[in-house]
Structure formats: structure tokens, C-alpha cells
Amino acid sequence: MHPRQAPARVALVTGGSGGIGRAVVERLARDGIAVAVHYAGNKARADETVAAVTEAGGRAVAVGGDVADERAMSEAFDAVEREFGGIDVVVNTAGIMLLSPIATLDLDDLDRMHRTNIRGTFVVSQQAARRLRPGGALVNFSTSVTRLRFPSYGAYAASKAAVEGMTLVLARELRGRDITVNAVAPGPTATPLFLDGKDQAAIDGLAKAAPLERLGTPEDIAETVAFLAGPARWINGQVLFTNGGVA
């Protein structure tokens, strides 16, 4: 398919069909950015997100694939370029969080997080490094747990510390390309991924931890992403801890 009138700016959001990813998609679309909504397995939810953007007057398309599969991601990037003519912003929200004390962690869970959080981020970052147009932005996702050091988050924090490392190196490797590379590190945020398995007392305690005395929202995180994706051209090679002051 040849692109119709090409939009001024195009974004691909991995994990864009739910939670923080969907908030990012909708926020970028409000800035006039055409958005590719990536999904791993739930096409119906991605289609719902595309429909919501379209109904609000934006442009969006759904693209699928395993973020850790380099061929699938190459095809996803190809599909976005065919639809919209190029890619300016890549936001990597796709990730999984499996919690356990390190001493008792099922190593299969460690491997699952490594595949999605580390290899998946690396594969998508590699494609972004090859394809982003000048003036582009790559936004990866870490976590404030790399500072908060909550018990049972050891393997997850390790996977996200790896994301921070690759992000900061890539920012320097893209010297001269006019492409920014940053990571966003949310704190406790009211998403199903974070709230699952926590009782109300635990949720209330986490909400009080930040000086602003509430949990973050997906929209809070999306606002930071929109800043990095658009006007924040002098922020590069950084990890932004978007957590209300909890860490």
C-alpha cells in the first residue's frame, strides 16, 4: 500500500493496546502524530485502540508481532513505513513483570522477562536505530524500582537496569543523526500490571509513598513520553524518573 498524504510525524508504540501503552497512543495522537498500535497477542484490543484514535480524528493502524522476534519486528516496521511513509518516534512500553524473592524465583520466569524486557527492547531499539528519521525519538521503558529496590522485584529490576544501560549507550552511538534516545522510569502507577495481586492496604501504602500522595496514572506517564517524543529535543541519553517524587 502506498501512503496516502503522509502525516507530519509517525510513531510506533509497542504494547500500545492497553495500560500505559494505550495512554501513550492516545496522547501522541492528540499531538497530531499518526500512531501504529503494536500488539503481541490481543488484536481485538489493538483494534479498539485504533478505533478510539480514529473516532477522535486521528490516524492509527494496528501492527502485531513478538517484540523479541527480529523478523516479526522488521515486518512491523515495514508495515508502518508502507502505511505512513516513515517513522519518527518509537515508544517501547511492551514488558512483563513477574515477582518473586530472588532466592525462590522460578528461572523460567527470569528467562521470560529477559526475552521480553531485555531482548525485546534490544530488537525494537535496533530497528529504531536503523529506521528513525532525523528529528526522531526513541523512548524505552525502565522502572523506578531500580532506585526503590522493593523486595521481590529483583529480577524485574535487573531486566530494566539492562534497558537503561542499552538506552544510554545507544544515545551516544547515534551521534550526528539528530535522534534522541531516552528512557522513562515510572513509579507506582495504577495499571492492571501493577495492581494485580496487591491488597488495598498495600495499594494505599504505595499511594502515600510519594510526596504527592497518590499513585501515578497512565496519563501521567504518557505526558512525559509526549514531551520526549516532541518538544524535548535537548534531552538525550537520560532516564526520567516519572514517579511523583517517590525516588
Side-chain angles (χ1 to χ4, degrees), residues 31-223:
D31 281 346
I33 298 173
V35 187
V37 181
H38 162 270
Y39 64 93
N42 194 332
K43 184 177 187 301
R45 193 166 65 172
D47 288 341
E48 290 172 8
T49 304
V50 168
V53 170
T54 303
E55 289 167 10
R59 292 178 64 180
V61 64
V63 294
D66 175 1
V67 289
D69 183 330
E70 63 272 29
R71 284 177 289 275
M73 285 300 97
S74 179
E75 290 169 3
F77 274 73
D78 286 345
V80 179
E81 290 176 339
R82 284 195 303 270
E83 179 69 20
F84 295 129
I87 302 178
D88 305 285
V89 178
V90 172
V91 184
N92 236 336
T93 76
I96 59 174
M97 181 172 67
L98 303 169
L99 304 182
S100 168
I102 290 172
T104 56
L105 178 72
D106 184 332
L107 292 180
D108 287 342
D109 287 346
L110 178 65
D111 290 342
R112 285 177 61 198
M113 282 191 285
H114 184 286
R115 177 173 173 78
T116 299
N117 298 355
I118 300 178
R119 181 185 169 92
T121 299
F122 195 99
V123 166
V124 174
S125 295
Q126 187 175 64
Q127 288 293 324
R130 294 169 179 172
R131 303 197 193 214
L132 282 171
R133 295 186 286 204
L138 169 62
V139 183
N140 286 328
F141 264 68
S142 181
T143 171
S144 288
V145 176
T146 57
R147 288 186 177 180
L148 294 168
R149 305 179 185 94
F150 291 147
S152 81
Y153 284 77
Y156 178 69
S159 74
K160 291 301 190 176
V163 169
E164 291 185 15
M166 73 177 79
T167 299
L168 303 186
V169 169
L170 183 56
R172 285 146 183 84
E173 290 181 345
L174 296 185
R175 172 183 292 274
R177 294 270 305 278
D178 189 23
I179 294 169
T180 62
V181 185
N182 295 288
V184 173
T189 305
T191 65
L193 177 72
F194 180 78
L195 297 176
D196 184 43
K198 296 180 175 67
D199 60 27
Q200 192 59 47
I203 293 169
D204 291 344
L206 289 165
K208 289 290 186 182
L212 297 178
E213 295 192 336
R214 66 171 177 86
L215 293 178
T217 67
E219 291 72 25
D220 290 323
I221 312 307
E223 202 64 45

